[in-house]
Amino acid sequence: MKILIAVPPAQYHDKELAQVMAVFDQNKIPYEFASRERGQAKGTFGGRVYVPLSFEDVILTREDEFDALTILGGHGAQAHFWNCQDLLELVKIFRIHRKVIGAISTGPVVMARAGILKKRPATVISGSSIREMLKMDVKFENKPCVFLDRLVTAREPGDAKRFAELIVEYLYGNPEFNGPQVVPAPNKLGFDI
């Protein structure tokens, strides 16, 4: 079991990342960082993390190593992820393979633009992100965290701990948590995206 964390190359939210990593560490789930390109990622409050993988690396050779994708938010996600074709493609690939996908703050817009939240409930931080979600026909819910069918969205950096816990719950397949899932009918290709 392994999680891929998508970190914006600049202006990711330091506290958000720290809380997500703490939950994954506590549950002994390994993770790796990926971004548009390899190198140092810089946080809004001075944090730094080394990113060893580009999204293209993961698509070409490493996608099968990961069971979940976590997309961080912040100003960096809006600037570097909303229109990142490699990340949008990676989200679609993870969805086709029924992997857990989560995004927080401005990150859920990536999921919406990849088409996997259409007519589904989701949340996102207030502001222009809500407008973007509505444009993509997402059922916006003004809640801290929204989860359904292996998709998790969270509103703010303060919700990061619960957000990460929900991803862990899906990965461990807790039947009380999963319950009867609402699974949409597949389209003509057999995918539910």
Side-chain angles (χ1 to χ4, degrees):
M1 190 179 315
K2 197 172 191 183
I3 300 171
L4 185 67
I5 302 177
V7 181
Q11 291 189 299
Y12 67 84
H13 196 289
D14 306 56
K15 195 173 185 180
E16 184 179 275
L17 176 58
Q19 289 183 41
V20 167
M21 287 168 50
V23 170
F24 295 161
D25 287 339
Q26 183 181 4
N27 287 278
K28 297 179 176 38
I29 300 175
Y31 51 84
E32 274 193 74
F33 300 120
S35 195
R36 288 171 34 163
E37 53 198 37
R38 291 178 230 129
Q40 279 294 336
K42 299 171 188 159
T44 302
F45 303 104
R48 300 249 191 285
V49 293
Y50 179 71
V51 179
L53 297 169
S54 71
F55 298 132
E56 185 178 28
D57 294 335
V58 178
I59 291 168
L60 294 176
T61 61
R62 309 261 318 260
E63 178 268 326
D64 58 342
E65 290 179 32
F66 300 98
D67 302 289
L69 171 63
T70 301
I71 303 168
L72 295 183
H75 296 296
Q78 183 172 349
H80 301 283
F81 284 176
W82 283 14
N83 295 309
C84 177
Q85 292 308 308
D86 286 341
L87 179 56
L88 294 171
E89 183 180 343
L90 189 62
V91 168
K92 291 174 188 175
I93 291 168
F94 269 56
R95 186 62 182 160
I96 287 166
H97 293 139
R98 305 290 299 147
K99 298 182 182 201
V100 178
I101 304 169
I104 185 167
S105 179
T106 58
V109 173
V110 175
M111 294 169 68
R113 286 188 171 184
I116 67 168
L117 292 178
K118 189 171 185 164
K119 301 200 181 302
R120 292 175 176 272
T123 192
V124 71
I125 200 163
S126 60
S128 61
S129 300
I130 295 174
R131 229 178 2 265
E132 288 298 316
M133 297 285 273
L134 295 175
K135 280 188 212 171
M136 300 294 134
D137 202 15
V138 176
K139 293 180 183 175
F140 172 72
E141 292 193 10
N142 192 16
K143 295 179 180 174
C145 295
V146 176
F147 58 94
L148 178 69
D149 194 26
R150 303 176 70 77
L151 302 175
V152 183
T153 54
R155 193 171 48 197
E156 298 174 1
D159 304 318
K161 183 176 186 288
R162 181 66 186 134
F163 165 73
E165 289 169 349
L166 289 166
I167 290 170
V168 169
E169 287 282 348
Y170 270 125
L171 288 174
Y172 280 126
N174 180 340
E176 289 178 9
F177 170 78
N178 288 325
Q181 287 295 305
V182 177
V183 180
N187 66 18
K188 291 176 186 168
L189 296 174
F191 305 129
D192 66 347
I193 56 173

